[in-house]
Amino acid sequence: MSSVDLTVPPLSDRKVSILEAAAALFAKYGYAAVSIRDLAREIHTTPAALYHHFPDKGAIYAAALRHVFSDPAKALETVLKGDDAPDVALERLIVWLTQQFSDNPVLARLVQRELLAGDRDRLSLLTEDVMAAPFREIERLMHRLAPARDASLSAASIIALVMGYVQLTPVLEVLTGERNTKQHLRDFAAHAKDLVLHGLLAQPQPGAHI
Amino acid sequence: MSSVDLTVPPLSDRKVSILEAAAALFAKYGYAAVSIRDLAREIHTTPAALYHHFPDKGAIYAAALRHVFSDPAKALETVLKGDDAPDVALERLIVWLTQQFSDNPVLARLVQRELLAGDRDRLSLLTEDVMAAPFREIERLMHRLAPARDASLSAASIIALVMGYVQLTPVLEVLTGERNTKQHLRDFAAHAKDLVLHGLLAQPQPGAHI
DNA sequence: ACTACCTGAACGAACGTTCAGTTAGGAGCT
DNA sequence: AGCTCCTAACTGAACGTTCGTTCAGGTAGT
């Protein structure tokens, strides 16, 4: 389906430590702004040593993406797999999503940078490794919660709402003078739950074409 | 308040054409990935000529940001200044926001890149020149629409929802097989309006701490 | 002796930036 | 009208630095 090689040979400890440092740097500064020498300095080695493990800079970035993107998809299932009532599951989901985006800035920033870069192959990787499984689970929950709605649109709206809000946090701190980001994000999660719950349970406006 | 110089001397036509090409390139590829030679080639001149108009690359980027960020704040007022009923105003707002983010990729991408970069001074510029006026207007509308809600949280949620959704568009095209992006975004705008309207009009869950 | 891992030094290319010199066009004077 | 003077705009070439990458050689464990 995708042209990206998804078969991942097991990584040595050394490679993992390289990729984790690389992911952190690329997430923070972007691909072009991180040099091989920067990365080598970060893990106390030399540029040439990196070329013993990877053929070039692009391969380091691609492997770092795969390494970071391979983890998080599994975690969601434990969040949603319980047979809670839909509204309870929705609350758990939104809290989990909010924490995921705010507590894992490396993943969140790499996702944002990939969305900005727009490379087709790497977007497929992002879609399949990170987005697909959570999206399908959220779609199922949305179908249970509001069968009359377009579940895809509802699921995408939830992800968009949480991702966008976490991105806006620094601007909101300036606009509202809010300082306690942790509490602020908890308030947002409660607000978002209410918004989605009541917004989707109200009967849809049929044929309301804009 | 901000340490960024906001006094903008009038720009010559030449400078404007440089800044518009620069904004497009920086938006598409990012600051570090665009060289002075790339920019010079784009507008059929030489690197040295650019240094006649701007002291260095950073100044070109800063001026391009100011140039792009100075326009859009005014447009929102005409969208909201009419004394429509709140629900009609909300629909107009969401449609306008969605179009703004999708039809003006240079602005949208520069905003996203600034959010990622996180530079304090430039975030202040972004906040004051782009975000503040729309945010206050949306806050006022939210207060009219749902006085029992936290207007700041509601306003931020709307911006986050639209911004996040437009960002996710390429991934959603893969996930749902959707191809007609224009129609797709219209459907989203209708969905978002319903979500916010009914989600905020339902009585809030008092003290629902998570 | 073989392999995995690493080093120091260097390669050419591209980077941001500078600079002496050239061009074009208008203002002021005769 | 012609002439001088001035300035803004630009050019070609070069500067020192950093970039991604290579390579001959070295070290340590099996």
Side-chain angles (χ1 to χ4, degrees):
Chain A
M1 195 62 71
S2 162
S3 62
V4 179
D5 179 18
L6 294 176
T7 66
V8 183
L11 297 171
S12 67
D13 289 354
R14 186 77 178 123
K15 276 186 176 169
V16 168
S17 71
I18 293 173
L19 293 183
E20 279 168 3
L25 285 178
F26 287 138
K28 190 166 191 179
Y29 301 107
Y31 178 78
V34 175
S35 73
I36 294 290
R37 286 173 177 81
D38 291 335
L39 176 55
R41 192 179 311 115
E42 184 75 12
I43 56 178
H44 307 103
T45 184
T46 61
L50 298 176
Y51 283 86
H52 177 73
H53 298 280
F54 299 96
D56 54 34
K57 185 185 176 186
I60 296 178
Y61 182 70
L65 272 192
R66 271 201 300 274
H67 181 67
V68 171
F69 285 180
S70 65
D71 303 333
K74 299 151 195 160
L76 177 67
E77 303 183 15
T78 65
V79 174
L80 289 184
K81 267 301 189 289
D83 47 1
D84 295 314
D87 59 333
V88 176
L90 177 69
E91 175 168 339
R92 285 235 308 246
L93 165 68
I94 290 181
V95 170
W96 179 84
L97 265 185
T98 307
Q99 284 181 352
Q100 190 80 357
F101 274 105
S102 61
D103 291 351
N104 196 344
V106 171
L107 174 62
R109 283 167 169 266
L110 285 176
V111 168
Q112 290 175 53
R113 292 196 184 277
E114 282 304 298
L115 289 174
L116 273 172
D119 177 272
R120 287 188 62 86
D121 282 356
R122 296 208 313 266
L123 273 183
S124 299
L125 176 74
L126 171 68
T127 302
E128 286 157 24
D129 281 19
V130 185
M131 297 294 204
F135 187 78
R136 298 302 175 205
E137 290 294 330
I138 298 173
E139 253 184 335
R140 281 229 298 267
L141 172 61
M142 290 302 110
H143 188 72
R144 278 203 294 153
L145 189 71
R149 298 281 181 173
D150 181 330
S152 300
L153 215 39
S154 301
S157 295
I158 289 181
I159 299 177
L161 177 60
V162 174
M163 186 182 78
Y165 196 89
V166 175
Q167 285 180 38
L168 284 178
T169 301
V171 165
L172 296 175
E173 283 174 1
V174 178
L175 281 174
T176 67
E178 183 62 63
R179 287 276 153 252
N180 185 341
T181 303
K182 270 271 186 285
Q183 178 61 43
H184 186 214
L185 286 176
R186 269 196 294 273
D187 292 347
F188 161 74
H191 179 93
K193 187 214 84 185
D194 270 21
L195 189 71
V196 173
L197 198 59
H198 298 115
L200 290 184
L201 287 184
Q203 81 291 357
Q205 308 276 83
H209 281 114
I210 298 183
Chain B
M1 194 63 72
S2 162
S3 62
V4 179
D5 179 18
L6 294 177
T7 66
V8 182
L11 297 172
S12 67
D13 290 354
R14 188 78 178 122
K15 277 185 176 171
V16 168
S17 71
I18 292 173
L19 294 183
E20 278 168 4
L25 285 178
F26 287 138
K28 191 165 190 181
Y29 302 107
Y31 178 78
V34 174
S35 73
I36 294 290
R37 286 172 178 83
D38 291 335
L39 176 56
R41 193 179 312 116
E42 184 75 13
I43 56 179
H44 307 104
T45 184
T46 62
L50 298 175
Y51 283 86
H52 177 74
H53 298 280
F54 300 96
D56 54 33
K57 185 184 175 186
I60 296 178
Y61 182 71
L65 272 193
R66 272 201 300 274
H67 181 68
V68 170
F69 285 0
S70 64
D71 303 333
K74 298 150 196 161
L76 177 67
E77 303 182 15
T78 65
V79 174
L80 290 184
K81 267 300 188 288
D83 47 1
D84 295 314
D87 58 334
V88 176
L90 177 69
E91 175 167 337
R92 285 235 307 248
L93 165 68
I94 290 181
V95 170
W96 179 83
L97 265 185
T98 306
Q99 283 181 352
Q100 189 80 356
F101 274 105
S102 61
D103 291 351
N104 196 344
V106 172
L107 174 63
R109 284 165 169 269
L110 286 176
V111 168
Q112 291 175 55
R113 292 196 184 278
E114 282 305 298
L115 288 174
L116 273 172
D119 177 273
R120 287 187 62 87
D121 282 356
R122 295 207 314 266
L123 273 183
S124 299
L125 176 73
L126 171 68
T127 302
E128 286 158 23
D129 282 18
V130 184
M131 297 294 204
F135 187 79
R136 299 300 176 206
E137 290 294 331
I138 298 173
E139 254 183 334
R140 281 228 298 268
L141 173 61
M142 290 302 110
H143 187 72
R144 278 204 293 153
L145 190 70
R149 299 280 180 173
D150 181 329
S152 300
L153 214 40
S154 302
S157 296
I158 289 181
I159 299 177
L161 177 61
V162 174
M163 186 181 77
Y165 196 90
V166 174
Q167 285 179 39
L168 284 178
T169 301
V171 165
L172 296 175
E173 284 174 0
V174 177
L175 282 174
T176 67
E178 183 61 62
R179 288 275 153 253
N180 185 340
T181 303
K182 270 269 186 288
Q183 179 60 43
H184 187 213
L185 286 175
R186 268 195 296 273
D187 292 346
F188 162 73
H191 180 93
K193 186 213 85 185
D194 269 22
L195 189 70
V196 173
L197 197 59
H198 298 115
L200 291 183
L201 287 184
Q203 81 290 357
Q205 307 277 82
H209 281 115
I210 299 183

